[in-house]
Amino acid sequence: MLLRRANLVVRESLRCSDVSLRTSTSVSRTKLQYTPLSSSPLYRQSLRSLSQFESEMSQKNSTNGTKPTAWSGPAQAAFDFRSDVVTSPTQSMLQAIQNTTLHDDVFCEDTTTNSLESHMADLTSHESALFVLSGTMGNQLALRTHLTQPPHSVLCDYRAHILEWEAGGVASLCGALVKGVVPKNRVYLTLEDVKKNVVIGDEIHGCPTRVISLENTLGGTIMPLEEVKRISAFARENNIKMHLDGARIWEAVVAGAGSLPDYTREFDSASLCFSKGLGAPIGSILVGKEKFIKHARWVRKSIGGGLRQSGVVTAAARVAVDETFGKGPNGEGGLLKQSHVTAKKIANIWTKMGGKLTQPTETNMVWFDLDDVGIADDEFVELGKKHGLRFLGPRLVVHYQISSEAVQRLEKVLDEVHERKKAGGVRKEGNVGEKAYGTHEKANP
């Protein structure tokens, strides 16, 4: 069965990651004794749970003649805190794909794709929209369309995805300088940060700022709407374009920071991701003025992003928006809000045990201060595997498919961490806050 094959792939990848982590070292801290994941009772229990799930689904579906597949449930994603990119597409997305139109999007003839683009333009209060294959593509198309003649530069947060996680695309595609700014408040950029670093005028030694790119949310932190408005007003006064990397803007909206159009109308362009927290298998949307989107479509074609029968991916994206985010501008009726509740629950469990957070839990991310309890990132990852959970380090991303059982297992992991501290775990000295802030750069995806 497809589900069994998928589970075998997951198990094999976990086994391989065991081997690689086994060779890692932590010079300044006491290492946990390596325990193969396959010998963990709880992990074996999780595999039995998956097998039981297959059996139950097989019995359930035998009456209607269907067989369980990889689309039948979140499976390993329910125990995976590494990122919201691990969310699994759903049965309703598969059904939408089966019933989609199969026309050519390069000719702008696919009605499913056209409908999604029209819906997203309306939802964000922009004139037009363009489906793209990824958030990176959306950002790069936007910047390439805005930036027409060097010398030109883009100003952004120093942790920004366009600077740290897009393979230098702004340099290679646009020939532009990207200036990363460290926020004075250590959380998000303010107008004062922008004014201090922006380059305006024609002084020959400078590289003029043509675009200000803001990311919201960033590391799970919300950029307040009022601050966005201040920066936007300044940009318009100085003929500077505004771009939003809104891969996770959905999270800010459902947290109550402002409606989707409240945020997006402050920008000349915005890229929003369907495949992170929303769970679609692929894709993002780029929104802006009609003339802007027309040119972006041209650029998309030039880098191989034109799609033929695009309905097979845009159908699932539409379901992701309607079901996971919600059908209104504030995420009405969607599923994301519960992940915020779960994230705050996890943060409370940790702090009640005496643990510290390196930043507040505002949306779906929880940042543990592992230095305070004397445990290295790779040791924490190993503890998670012992309980059948997947971590990347101190950042836990609580997507909407995380199960209640995963939270229960996580609580046992955190108990072990604090018992280790009581038993004399090594504490690393230093400025924990600054180090934790820096880890945002390595945990953006």
Side-chain angles (χ1 to χ4, degrees), residues 226-378:
E226 288 307 311
E227 198 62 54
V228 172
K229 289 182 176 181
R230 294 178 70 218
I231 295 173
S232 178
F234 170 81
R236 297 181 196 286
E237 290 172 2
N238 291 279
N239 197 30
I240 299 172
K241 298 296 184 181
M242 289 280 289
H243 174 67
L244 169 66
D245 180 351
R248 293 186 173 101
I249 188 64
W250 324 99
E251 306 291 350
V253 172
V254 299
S259 72
L260 192 57
D262 283 344
Y263 271 106
T264 54
R265 67 166 59 101
E266 298 299 324
F267 295 85
D268 298 284
S269 60
S271 176
L272 297 83
C273 184
F274 299 131
S275 64
K276 281 190 174 175
L278 299 194
I282 190 172
S284 288
I285 198 81
L286 178 63
V287 299
K289 290 187 179 298
E290 186 174 353
K291 182 179 179 180
F292 169 86
I293 292 297
K294 181 178 180 180
H295 191 82
R297 186 182 294 272
W298 201 347
V299 178
R300 186 188 71 170
K301 178 62 176 173
S302 75
I303 62 173
L307 297 174
R308 296 304 177 183
Q309 286 69 46
S310 57
V312 295
V313 286
T314 56
R318 178 59 184 269
V319 172
V321 174
D322 290 349
E323 293 188 356
T324 313
F325 172 66
K327 294 187 177 181
N330 293 290
E332 293 88 344
L335 302 173
L336 287 184
K337 185 65 177 178
Q338 182 56 44
S339 65
H340 294 193
V341 174
T342 304
K344 288 179 172 61
K345 177 181 178 180
I346 291 170
N348 287 335
I349 291 172
W350 174 256
T351 54
K352 285 181 179 179
M353 290 179 178
K356 297 178 181 178
L357 300 172
T358 56
Q359 68 174 32
T361 303
E362 295 183 353
T363 56
N364 67 325
M365 296 187 189
V366 185
W367 288 85
F368 294 144
D369 186 345
L370 297 183
D371 284 323
D372 181 64
V373 292
I375 185 171
D377 292 358
D378 59 345

Side-chain angles (χ1 to χ4, degrees), residues 16-142:
C16 292
S17 63
D18 279 344
V19 174
S20 63
L21 282 169
R22 187 176 183 178
T23 62
S24 65
T25 60
S26 178
V27 176
S28 61
R29 298 172 183 165
T30 303
K31 288 288 291 179
L32 289 176
Q33 183 177 358
Y34 172 75
T35 303
L37 183 60
S38 58
S39 66
S40 164
L42 277 172
Y43 181 67
R44 290 199 301 269
Q45 179 182 341
S46 71
L47 297 187
R48 287 196 298 271
S49 297
L50 288 174
S51 298
Q52 182 181 1
F53 169 79
E54 290 182 9
S55 176
E56 291 175 353
M57 287 299 299
S58 179
Q59 294 175 10
K60 178 179 178 180
N61 292 322
S62 62
T63 58
N64 57 22
T66 62
K67 294 182 179 180
T69 70
W71 298 78
S72 301
Q76 187 59 32
F79 303 94
D80 198 332
F81 290 93
R82 291 176 299 169
S83 175
D84 43 10
V85 301
V86 303
T87 46
S88 296
T90 62
Q91 282 278 13
S92 55
M93 293 179 194
L94 176 59
Q95 184 177 5
I97 292 171
Q98 291 172 327
N99 295 319
T100 193
T101 52
L102 297 172
H103 302 299
D104 195 301
D105 182 50
V106 174
F107 294 148
C108 300
E109 293 176 350
D110 186 71
T111 52
T112 301
T113 303
N114 293 343
S115 175
L116 173 68
E117 291 172 342
S118 178
H119 175 65
M120 291 308 303
D122 291 342
L123 196 60
T124 58
S125 291
H126 276 273
E127 291 180 3
S128 190
L130 177 67
F131 180 81
V132 295
L133 293 174
S134 68
T136 293
M137 181 178 282
N139 288 334
Q140 293 302 320
L141 291 184

